[in-house]
Amino acid sequence: MTDQVVKQCRDELHTHLTTELLPFWITRTADHENGGFVTHFDEYGNDSGEDEKSLIAQTRSIYTYSSAHRAGYGDGKLADLARHGVDYLLTRMWDAEFGGFYWMTNRKGDVLNDQKIVYGQSFAIYCLSEYTLATGDPRGVEYAEKVFDLLQKYASDTAYGGYFEVFKHDWTLTGPGAAGGNRKTLDAHMHLMEAFTSLYECTRQAIHRRKLLEVISLLVAKVMHPAYGTGIPQFWADWRVAPQIKFDVIWGWDRFTEDGVKRKADDNTSYGHNAEFAWLLLHALAVLEIPHETYINQLQKSFSHTANYGVDWEYGGVFVEGSHSGDVYDREKEFWQQAEVLIGFLDAYRIFGDAKYWKAYENVHRFVMDKMVNHEVGEWWPLMTRQGIPIWTHMSHSWKINYHTVRSMVQSIRRLDALLTPSSPAD
Amino acid sequence: MTDQVVKQCRDELHTHLTTELLPFWITRTADHENGGFVTHFDEYGNDSGEDEKSLIAQTRSIYTYSSAHRAGYGDGKLADLARHGVDYLLTRMWDAEFGGFYWMTNRKGDVLNDQKIVYGQSFAIYCLSEYTLATGDPRGVEYAEKVFDLLQKYASDTAYGGYFEVFKHDWTLTGPGAAGGNRKTLDAHMHLMEAFTSLYECTRQAIHRRKLLEVISLLVAKVMHPAYGTGIPQFWADWRVAPQIKFDVIWGWDRFTEDGVKRKADDNTSYGHNAEFAWLLLHALAVLEIPHETYINQLQKSFSHTANYGVDWEYGGVFVEGSHSGDVYDREKEFWQQAEVLIGFLDAYRIFGDAKYWKAYENVHRFVMDKMVNHEVGEWWPLMTRQGIPIWTHMSHSWKINYHTVRSMVQSIRRLDALLTPSSPAD
């Protein structure tokens, strides 16, 4: 590829970010009546009215506005939005008695679900660290550290390592099975790596560094497939692979059949997760100042599996999931997987210099810009057919907010800029 | 055996405890000038003058006086002694900046070694919980909980489970090898089980129960030999067995050759540890209200290995250590191993009703009463030849205090009483 092609891609993303995505959120998300963010919008960008504020959507919003502000966007408006979100998070979602953030409130701020779910707590650490890094407001890191300490005390499994994931409000474990108390997931541990990276970047405390190194070691040694290096979604507490089930409290719209079962519950890996894991690992190593060569085999496996099996060369974009050895099971197109592989393929191209990664990037880039983005409204469709026809049509709800889309644009632009001026930092 | 034999044993221990052991300590250990306890006495019971107060000796003393008071001994004098020790521990050995207890002060209270060593922290939790249980003084459990929280945050290994063991004053890990930062031991994890048992008995908090269950699960699944059920002394962080080495900072007088090497560093188990582990496990299960049948195979292996291979039927007493499969390597007699197997064999007899355990008890009982106790002075010899001639002759130093000896008497008397009146509780 030429600099001109890179520049075109970069400008296309920049235009989308600054004239579509960010304006979409800046103009409608602040809840001036109740505090925090309204996070439910239909395909036209109208408030679709669901009376809930999820920990995920509130914290991801705070991350989005903080990180975009830190990256130089928004002329201060995004910092104001982030502060507005932090005010709500700390006053309405924090449990002053037991510590930690509740899972769900209604729009007014009454608690609807008081469970302490590690996935949500990890986003609290992530967004609050990023918020302090972006604004200097010390409240962010103060609460991020509180949550970190609570996870070490209550969530850590001192028998087998890693973290239990689903707790009642008082930090006692929920029951087994769909309640989630006896399983461990790729998802939660990957996002703890992401969260501890930002926490360590913010505090430079030795204990935050050590726990980040420990979760990286765990992810590589236990969560990745021993042969293929691909992510395994679910485990029992002792790290034997568990068949993938649907939890009572979901934290994404993972795709199951009507009866909550995966077709291939024992041999399933997500292209989006593999690419996301790899670029988050690269970012963690950069913050830790550890050479990425330390994990080069893992990175090679993560990225190449996504590029070799996940990319749809016929219709564009990346598939949902498939087997560890390569068979594709689900050829639909989810928004977040597209977002994450854009960053991942650019990182893979930077590290390995292999043209297949650039081609994979361009492929997904075109699919996103031509199909996935709802340009008239500003956000991305959540789920499309293989060919690119919207299946779900909401622009946002509790599990689809702006974290993947805005982050993908901010991070991809940074990486494309670095390709144009190779001396600039890409991490 | 007959009730008369049991009664004779019981009375012999009771006389030793109340007329020799406890008076030895009550009359000489309080340091009225500097606070805390003097813990160095020679074979005549005279202060041998070493200018140190170790965390181990101070906390074990507090445990001894608290638990003996709680068991009904001392007419209040032991509670006063315990309080005297707690005053010193909290004012001179607590690190107000980083939390946790220093490893060593001099007699005046100046810090000589500021490392945070999990073995010592576990005794702080143990003695402070027992102190509150014995006296009602809330300072004990307040600091026990602080240490528990610090261990969860700093010592827990979230990659492989269990706890790292040797830290600098600021809770950063020490280096590898003899510094101890990359090893895990049976010793520390067994004493964490012991400590969390008393902490949970004191607080009845769900998190203390869960962490106790986790460390039990870890001990049984990882620390015990997969075939023989015997304790393995040292591991790497990922629980591969590590050859036994001597640490820079020792917490007992583990026996090594001059060059700090074990003759059989890869196949070594301690009879005293195996019996101690099993009765501490039984006690933990009783406090947890979990039937001991849950771990009956483990208990059977622990006790029977000690009885089958550890007992010296020729000269009496229990050997130091041998191979997992049964060969005895070291036939000398250490004080603490005798103390622990007395309790262990009585528990084994209670659980399994096998006469071999009573015979083993009687054998060690006689060796202790006839050889190991220095009756004129009141305490036990630390180390004897196989035949029962003292090798080391101090009555106390930083690593030999009254915890094993007094606890053995208190716990054995309780178990012998229960044999005489079978309806009384033995735990």
Side-chain angles (χ1 to χ4, degrees):
Chain A
M1 94 296 189
T2 62
D3 274 6
Q4 195 190 351
V5 171
V6 175
K7 184 75 168 50
Q8 275 172 358
C9 288
R10 184 261 181 219
D11 290 344
E12 206 175 358
L13 299 190
H14 194 269
T15 300
H16 171 52
L17 175 64
T18 55
T19 69
E20 294 173 344
L21 260 183
L22 291 175
F24 177 94
W25 293 103
I26 289 170
T27 55
R28 73 191 78 201
T29 192
D31 182 343
H32 295 294
E33 191 182 339
N34 303 299
F37 303 115
V38 173
T39 60
H40 293 79
F41 299 104
D42 68 16
E43 65 182 293
Y44 306 106
N46 296 321
D47 181 352
S48 51
E50 285 90 334
D51 190 17
E52 59 182 41
K53 284 178 174 155
S54 72
L55 180 58
I56 296 301
Q58 298 298 311
T59 54
R60 287 179 165 186
S61 294
I62 292 167
Y63 172 82
T64 297
Y65 309 133
S66 299
S67 64
H69 171 74
R70 194 173 163 214
Y73 300 96
D75 293 324
K77 282 190 202 130
L78 294 166
D80 292 342
L81 259 187
R83 186 172 297 109
H84 176 80
V86 168
D87 290 343
Y88 183 85
L89 187 70
L90 301 190
T91 55
R92 306 312 298 253
M93 302 197 86
W94 178 258
D95 179 348
E97 185 178 0
F98 293 99
F101 290 102
Y102 300 120
W103 182 248
M104 183 81 79
T105 67
N106 62 16
R107 290 198 181 186
K108 266 178 62 191
D110 306 316
V111 178
L112 299 181
N113 180 335
D114 64 5
Q115 285 189 294
K116 305 290 165 62
I117 299 180
V118 165
Y119 188 81
Q121 309 301 323
S122 79
F123 277 100
I125 293 174
Y126 188 47
C127 83
L128 289 167
S129 302
E130 187 71 18
Y131 170 71
T132 292
L133 284 165
T135 66
D137 182 344
R139 291 181 303 160
V141 70
E142 178 194 339
Y143 277 81
E145 286 197 54
K146 285 185 201 212
V147 176
F148 175 86
D149 290 358
L150 287 162
L151 292 184
Q152 299 311 317
K153 177 169 179 178
Y154 292 107
S156 158
D157 176 2
T158 54
Y160 295 104
Y163 298 85
F164 290 109
E165 300 188 7
V166 190
F167 296 84
K168 297 175 198 161
H169 70 286
D170 62 358
W171 289 98
T172 56
L173 273 167
T174 58
N182 69 339
R183 297 219 175 195
K184 294 172 179 167
T185 67
L186 159 65
D187 217 3
H189 288 79
M190 184 181 80
H191 288 294
L192 286 172
M193 172 176 78
E194 173 188 61
F196 294 171
T197 300
S198 292
L199 179 61
Y200 175 61
E201 186 183 4
C202 187
T203 69
R204 296 290 167 183
Q205 281 186 32
I207 190 62
H208 299 151
R209 180 183 180 91
R210 206 188 96 208
K211 294 296 169 179
L212 171 56
L213 288 168
E214 286 175 12
V215 81
I216 289 172
S217 153
L218 183 79
L219 282 158
V220 173
K222 303 245 172 84
V223 176
M224 298 299 141
H225 191 286
Y228 299 107
T230 39
I232 298 170
Q234 291 184 15
F235 299 84
W236 304 109
D238 63 3
W239 296 106
R240 284 175 298 125
V241 175
Q244 214 178 341
I245 59 165
K246 190 172 180 177
F247 294 121
D248 291 338
V249 177
I250 53 172
W251 52 60
W253 271 17
D254 247 349
R255 319 273 306 290
F256 288 89
T257 59
E258 290 294 317
D259 52 358
V261 173
K262 278 272 181 198
R263 277 173 296 171
K264 303 272 189 176
D266 287 313
D267 177 19
N268 209 34
T269 194
S270 153
Y271 306 112
H273 267 157
N274 291 329
E276 185 179 12
F277 165 73
W279 85 254
L280 287 173
L281 173 59
L282 273 170
H283 176 58
L285 295 172
V287 170
L288 289 162
E289 297 180 45
I290 292 174
H292 69 254
E293 287 78 5
T294 313
Y295 288 99
I296 199 72
N297 288 336
Q298 177 60 56
L299 293 165
Q300 195 275 331
K301 287 176 176 178
S302 301
F303 285 131
S304 67
H305 187 278
T306 310
N308 294 344
Y309 304 113
V311 177
D312 185 348
W313 294 104
E314 192 172 351
Y315 294 97
V318 69
F319 300 125
V320 174
E321 60 196 16
S323 79
H324 294 284
S325 61
D327 286 353
V328 181
Y329 299 149
D330 185 340
R331 294 175 192 271
E332 290 175 350
K333 309 286 165 62
E334 286 182 340
F335 78 105
W336 69 269
Q337 307 227 11
Q338 317 307 316
E340 296 306 323
V341 303
L342 287 178
I343 311 172
F345 286 147
L346 288 174
D347 267 358
Y349 181 65
R350 173 170 65 91
I351 300 294
F352 296 105
D354 185 334
K356 81 173 170 189
Y357 292 119
W358 175 261
K359 284 187 199 133
Y361 170 79
E362 267 196 310
N363 171 305
V364 180
H365 175 105
R366 280 267 54 82
F367 182 82
V368 167
M369 287 298 127
D370 296 347
K371 301 283 179 72
M372 203 97 216
V373 174
N374 180 359
H375 288 282
E376 295 95 276
V377 176
E379 254 289 345
W380 299 19
W381 300 107
L383 178 69
M384 315 192 89
T385 63
R386 181 179 180 191
Q387 291 75 14
I389 309 297
I391 299 171
W392 298 335
T393 57
H394 55 271
M395 291 292 98
S396 176
H397 62 47
S398 287
W399 323 122
K400 179 192 183 285
I401 185 80
N402 40 42
Y403 147 79
H404 288 291
T405 55
V406 173
R407 185 171 73 172
S408 178
M409 296 301 98
V410 170
Q411 296 295 328
S412 296
I413 290 166
R414 179 172 297 165
R415 284 158 177 74
L416 292 165
D417 280 339
L419 283 178
L420 292 167
T421 53
S423 63
S424 71
D427 288 306
Chain B
M1 93 296 188
T2 63
D3 274 7
Q4 198 189 347
V5 172
V6 175
K7 183 75 166 55
Q8 275 172 359
C9 288
R10 184 262 181 218
D11 289 346
E12 206 176 357
L13 299 191
H14 194 268
T15 300
H16 171 54
L17 175 64
T18 55
T19 69
E20 295 173 343
L21 259 183
L22 291 176
F24 177 93
W25 293 103
I26 289 170
T27 56
R28 73 191 79 201
T29 193
D31 181 343
H32 295 296
E33 191 182 337
N34 303 299
F37 305 115
V38 173
T39 61
H40 293 79
F41 300 103
D42 67 17
E43 65 181 294
Y44 308 106
N46 296 320
D47 181 353
S48 51
E50 285 91 335
D51 190 18
E52 57 182 42
K53 283 178 173 153
S54 72
L55 179 58
I56 295 301
Q58 299 297 310
T59 53
R60 287 178 164 187
S61 295
I62 292 167
Y63 173 82
T64 297
Y65 309 133
S66 299
S67 65
H69 172 74
R70 193 173 163 214
Y73 300 97
D75 293 325
K77 281 189 201 130
L78 295 166
D80 291 343
L81 260 187
R83 186 173 296 107
H84 176 80
V86 168
D87 291 343
Y88 182 86
L89 188 71
L90 301 190
T91 55
R92 307 311 298 254
M93 302 197 87
W94 178 256
D95 179 348
E97 186 179 0
F98 292 100
F101 291 102
Y102 299 120
W103 183 247
M104 184 81 79
T105 67
N106 62 15
R107 289 197 181 186
K108 267 177 62 190
D110 306 316
V111 178
L112 300 181
N113 179 334
D114 64 3
Q115 284 190 294
K116 306 290 166 62
I117 299 181
V118 166
Y119 189 81
Q121 309 300 324
S122 80
F123 277 100
I125 293 174
Y126 189 46
C127 82
L128 290 167
S129 302
E130 187 72 19
Y131 170 71
T132 292
L133 284 165
T135 66
D137 182 345
R139 289 181 304 160
V141 69
E142 178 194 339
Y143 278 82
E145 286 196 55
K146 284 184 201 215
V147 176
F148 175 86
D149 290 357
L150 287 162
L151 292 184
Q152 299 311 318
K153 177 169 178 177
Y154 292 106
S156 159
D157 175 1
T158 54
Y160 295 105
Y163 298 84
F164 290 109
E165 300 188 7
V166 190
F167 296 84
K168 297 176 199 159
H169 70 285
D170 62 358
W171 290 99
T172 55
L173 272 167
T174 58
N182 69 338
R183 297 217 175 197
K184 293 173 180 169
T185 68
L186 159 65
D187 218 3
H189 287 81
M190 184 181 80
H191 288 294
L192 286 172
M193 173 177 78
E194 173 188 59
F196 294 171
T197 300
S198 292
L199 179 62
Y200 176 60
E201 185 183 4
C202 186
T203 69
R204 297 290 167 183
Q205 280 185 32
I207 189 63
H208 299 150
R209 179 183 181 90
R210 205 188 96 207
K211 294 295 170 182
L212 171 55
L213 288 168
E214 287 175 13
V215 81
I216 289 173
S217 153
L218 182 79
L219 282 158
V220 173
K222 303 245 171 83
V223 176
M224 297 299 141
H225 192 287
Y228 299 108
T230 40
I232 298 169
Q234 292 183 14
F235 298 84
W236 303 111
D238 63 2
W239 296 106
R240 284 173 299 125
V241 175
Q244 216 179 338
I245 59 164
K246 191 172 179 177
F247 294 121
D248 292 337
V249 177
I250 53 172
W251 51 63
W253 270 16
D254 246 351
R255 318 274 306 292
F256 288 88
T257 58
E258 291 294 318
D259 52 356
V261 171
K262 279 273 180 198
R263 276 174 298 171
K264 303 272 189 177
D266 286 313
D267 177 20
N268 208 35
T269 193
S270 152
Y271 306 112
H273 267 157
N274 290 329
E276 184 180 12
F277 165 72
W279 85 254
L280 287 173
L281 173 59
L282 273 170
H283 176 58
L285 295 172
V287 170
L288 289 163
E289 298 181 46
I290 292 174
H292 67 255
E293 287 77 5
T294 313
Y295 287 99
I296 199 72
N297 289 335
Q298 177 60 55
L299 293 165
Q300 196 274 331
K301 287 176 177 178
S302 302
F303 285 131
S304 67
H305 187 276
T306 310
N308 294 344
Y309 304 111
V311 177
D312 184 348
W313 294 105
E314 192 171 352
Y315 295 97
V318 70
F319 300 126
V320 173
E321 60 196 16
S323 79
H324 294 283
S325 61
D327 287 353
V328 181
Y329 299 148
D330 184 340
R331 293 174 193 271
E332 291 176 349
K333 309 287 165 63
E334 285 182 341
F335 78 104
W336 70 267
Q337 306 226 11
Q338 317 305 317
E340 296 307 322
V341 302
L342 286 178
I343 312 172
F345 286 148
L346 288 174
D347 267 358
Y349 181 65
R350 173 171 65 90
I351 300 294
F352 296 106
D354 186 335
K356 81 172 170 189
Y357 291 119
W358 176 261
K359 283 187 199 133
Y361 171 79
E362 266 196 312
N363 170 304
V364 180
H365 176 106
R366 280 267 52 81
F367 182 83
V368 167
M369 288 296 127
D370 296 348
K371 301 281 179 70
M372 202 99 219
V373 175
N374 180 358
H375 287 283
E376 295 97 275
V377 176
E379 253 290 346
W380 300 19
W381 301 107
L383 178 68
M384 316 193 87
T385 63
R386 181 179 178 189
Q387 291 77 13
I389 310 297
I391 299 171
W392 297 336
T393 58
H394 55 270
M395 289 292 96
S396 177
H397 63 47
S398 286
W399 324 123
K400 179 192 183 283
I401 185 80
N402 40 41
Y403 146 79
H404 287 293
T405 56
V406 172
R407 184 171 73 172
S408 178
M409 296 302 97
V410 169
Q411 295 296 327
S412 296
I413 290 167
R414 180 172 294 166
R415 283 158 178 74
L416 292 164
D417 280 339
L419 284 178
L420 293 166
T421 53
S423 63
S424 72
D427 288 304

